[in-house]
Every structure is written in structure tokens, then in C-alpha cells.
Amino acid sequence: MRMQPRMPTFACILTLLSLVTISLAQTESSLAPSGIRLRGENGAEIVAAGVLEARPEGAVILLYGRSTPILAAWDKFDLELLKEDQPKIYFGYLDAKRFNRPFLLKLGVYADIVSFEETIIELNRELLKPRFYPLPQNINYLIEQEPDVIRWKVRDTNRYAKIMRDYQQQLEDFFRRIFPKESVIIDDQGNVHFKDRPTRVDLNRAETTTGKVLSVLADTRRTPSRIGIEYLNEVTTFREDVTKLWLEMRAKIPNAAFNQGNLNHQKLPSLMDEATIALTALLNEEHLHQSNQQRLSDFYLFVYSHTPSF
């Protein structure tokens, strides 16, 4: 039996979105049953492939056989019939008129696409979602991997002890920054202590968010702790969490339907790509470059500066 090849998810998304940007080869009659029927004030009827949004001045609709949407003024519609036939469009019309701003409808071929605003809100939601990462009882095993610690351990015990204390303090500071609720303390023996809270979900895990960790790595005023980064790599799922989030969101945002007149929508994919490269470099490279922190900072600040407040 011949197996049909399975199309990757990213390709499926691109195939769906291409309906918006390419001319439709099928005939209007064959597609009409799945289209959106609209009747004008003169009694004429059209079948639209999709309705993107309701604006104060009209509806943004995509007609079959066209590659770009058009703006149809509200006075061209029979509004009483619109209320009966297409109530979502009608109430979009009322909202757009009342609040004097566009309202997304995303009907027809636009149903599964994601706008810039929706992407920002989803990214913000994921960045603020609580994460619970384990804290080892003793962190000296992480510090013992450092080349200078290995060198001085056999050469000078006093110097070795001082370097160990310096790294313990450095890691304690890193933990307090990425786990601000936990009041982490690391003693001279490398044992980790943190405050027990009534709201703690897991007694062996500390609470943070992906956004909090990113903000620490992206803070260009301070170089992140290399030991702290080793902790993220070896003990937590931070890398996997970010990779999963960015792959899922990145697949949705090169979106031709919203590129027109929206420079932010065009900017976000490039910022995310640069941030992905920068984060990989920070987590993998021995030397920490501020340029990578800056790229992370550009992405992080862009998301938060465009997140609407409610």
C-alpha cells in the first residue's frame, strides 16, 4: 500500500495562508458554497472568500479571483439583510462605528490566521506563564566544572576556597534574580536554601517565568552568570520551553494578510529570528557577548511595549 507523505505543520500553515496572497485558480461557482454571501443595497449579491475586519468606514473583504482584499463601504450593504444573513459582520459594523476603530472578524479564508496584536498578546501570555524549575540541594558540582576552579583546587587551597565562595555568591545572585519570590541563600558549603511559602506548588521547585529569565539574560547592564547559564542548561527545561514557544509562534506570524500598512508585523519575525540566534549563542558559547544580550533585549522590549493594557 502506498503511503501518502505527511506535510509538516509549518508547511500546512503556509499553504493555508497562501490562500490570502495568491489568485484562486478554482472557479467561483465551485467555491461559492463555502463562501460568504453578501447582498448590496441595490439587491445585487456577491460571494466573498473572506472578511478580514470591520472598520468604521466599511468591511475589508477578499473576493474570489483577487489577491488582495478591498474595502467595501457600509452604505453599499443592505444592513437589515446583513443583520439577518451575516450577524457577525453586522455586529462588527456596530462595534466599529460605536468605538471608531477596526474590529477583527476573520471569516472564510481568514479564519485561522493570526494578527500582529493577537501574536503579541499570545507571546506575552506565554512569557508570563509560571514555570517551576528544580533547585539542587547543593550547587558545588556546577562550580567544580569551571576551568579556574579545577586549576586552583590542586595548586592553592586558599585560592580555591575563595573562588568557590565567589562563584557561590554569583550563583546566589543569579537565582535571586530569576526566582524573585524565593529568597534563595547559598551557604559556604554550596547548600541551597529558599523560603517556604504557603502558595508553593512544589516543595522542591522554585517559581519563575520564561519572561523573567529572558529579562535577566537580556539585561545589558550586567553580564549574566556563566554558572547560572550552566544551571539553566543542565538542571532546567528553559531551553526547551523557549524553543517550543518560539517555533509555534514563529510559524504563524509571517502573515501577508496583515503586512500591508503594518510595519510592526513585518518587524516582529526578524526580531524573533535574531533573538533565537542570540539566545542559542548565550546558552552555548563560553564567552558571553553583550551584542547577544542586546538582541534579546530588543525582542523582549518590543513585545512588552506593544502589549495592550486592560
Side-chain angles (χ1 to χ4, degrees):
M1 179 170 63
R2 184 178 179 184
M3 299 294 291
Q4 293 294 325
R6 185 177 181 182
M7 185 178 291
T9 303
F10 185 61
C12 290
I13 294 172
L14 290 180
T15 301
L16 178 62
L17 295 182
S18 67
L19 292 173
V20 180
T21 57
I22 64 174
S23 295
L24 302 175
Q26 297 93 332
T27 64
E28 187 170 316
S29 60
S30 65
L31 288 172
S34 61
I36 301 166
R37 296 184 180 275
L38 302 170
R39 285 187 276 183
E41 49 85 24
N42 60 357
E45 180 180 284
I46 63 170
V47 180
V51 180
L52 178 59
E53 63 184 2
R55 297 180 183 176
E57 62 272 27
V60 178
I61 65 176
L62 181 69
L63 300 177
Y64 285 111
R66 291 179 177 265
S67 60
T68 56
I70 63 171
L71 180 64
W74 293 118
D75 60 12
K76 302 297 183 184
F77 293 90
D78 185 323
L79 294 176
E80 288 300 317
L81 289 177
L82 187 68
K83 181 179 181 180
E84 180 182 338
D85 297 343
Q86 302 291 344
K88 288 185 178 180
I89 302 176
Y90 178 77
F91 287 109
Y93 151 74
L94 293 181
D95 287 339
K97 285 290 190 179
R98 177 183 177 185
F99 297 102
N100 196 34
R101 69 175 181 84
F103 280 84
L104 282 175
L105 298 175
K106 298 200 306 182
L107 303 176
V109 296
Y110 293 112
D112 295 318
I113 61 177
V114 182
S115 72
F116 171 78
E117 291 78 10
E118 289 172 315
T119 304
I120 289 291
I121 291 172
E122 182 63 22
L123 279 171
N124 187 65
R125 183 184 295 119
E126 289 297 323
L127 289 172
L128 294 178
K129 182 184 296 182
R131 305 279 182 181
F132 299 91
Y133 293 143
L135 277 175
Q137 293 182 346
N138 188 290
I139 48 80
N140 281 351
Y141 80 96
L142 287 171
I143 300 174
E144 295 277 2
Q145 301 175 35
E146 288 296 298
D148 55 343
V149 173
I150 296 172
R151 181 171 61 253
W152 289 109
K153 187 174 184 179
V154 297
R155 291 185 181 181
D156 188 330
T157 54
N158 290 330
R159 183 68 180 272
Y160 162 75
K162 182 181 184 305
I163 291 176
M164 288 293 292
R165 285 195 298 273
D166 289 344
Y167 276 126
Q168 288 163 356
Q169 183 61 49
Q170 183 186 122
L171 193 52
E172 178 184 280
D173 178 67
F174 184 80
F175 282 161
R176 289 189 173 195
R177 295 180 70 199
I178 67 171
F179 300 120
K181 295 181 179 180
E182 309 297 1
S183 300
V184 176
I185 296 176
I186 300 176
D187 62 28
D188 290 343
Q189 286 71 48
N191 298 316
V192 179
H193 312 272
F194 59 108
K195 181 175 62 178
D196 188 17
R197 293 183 287 109
T199 57
R200 185 180 303 286
V201 175
D202 189 330
L203 295 177
N204 299 312
R205 294 174 180 267
E207 181 179 350
T208 187
T209 64
T210 307
K212 172 56 66 177
V213 179
L214 279 177
S215 71
V216 171
L217 297 180
D219 186 353
T220 56
R221 297 167 299 179
R222 303 175 65 177
T223 302
S225 164
R226 192 169 64 233
I227 301 293
I229 290 175
E230 284 305 309
Y231 160 77
L232 291 177
N233 281 330
E234 295 189 20
V235 182
T236 76
T237 58
F238 171 73
R239 181 194 293 263
E240 293 79 6
D241 295 338
V242 174
T243 299
K244 181 176 183 295
L245 165 64
W246 286 1
L247 283 178
E248 290 178 354
M249 296 305 300
R250 181 64 180 87
K252 300 176 182 179
I253 61 176
N255 189 328
F258 293 92
N259 275 349
Q260 277 191 321
N262 193 334
L263 295 178
N264 285 330
H265 198 117
Q266 299 176 49
K267 186 176 181 180
L268 180 57
S270 62
L271 283 177
M272 184 172 284
D273 290 343
E274 291 176 6
T276 302
I277 296 171
L279 182 63
T280 301
L282 278 176
L283 294 177
N284 290 343
E285 294 179 3
E286 182 176 344
H287 301 289
L288 305 176
H289 297 287
Q290 194 178 59
S291 60
N292 290 321
Q293 288 183 274
Q294 187 61 57
R295 291 188 183 95
L296 281 180
S297 178
D298 291 343
F299 165 73
Y300 180 85
L301 294 175
F302 182 85
V303 172
Y304 279 100
S305 66
H306 288 89
T307 299
S309 58
F310 299 98

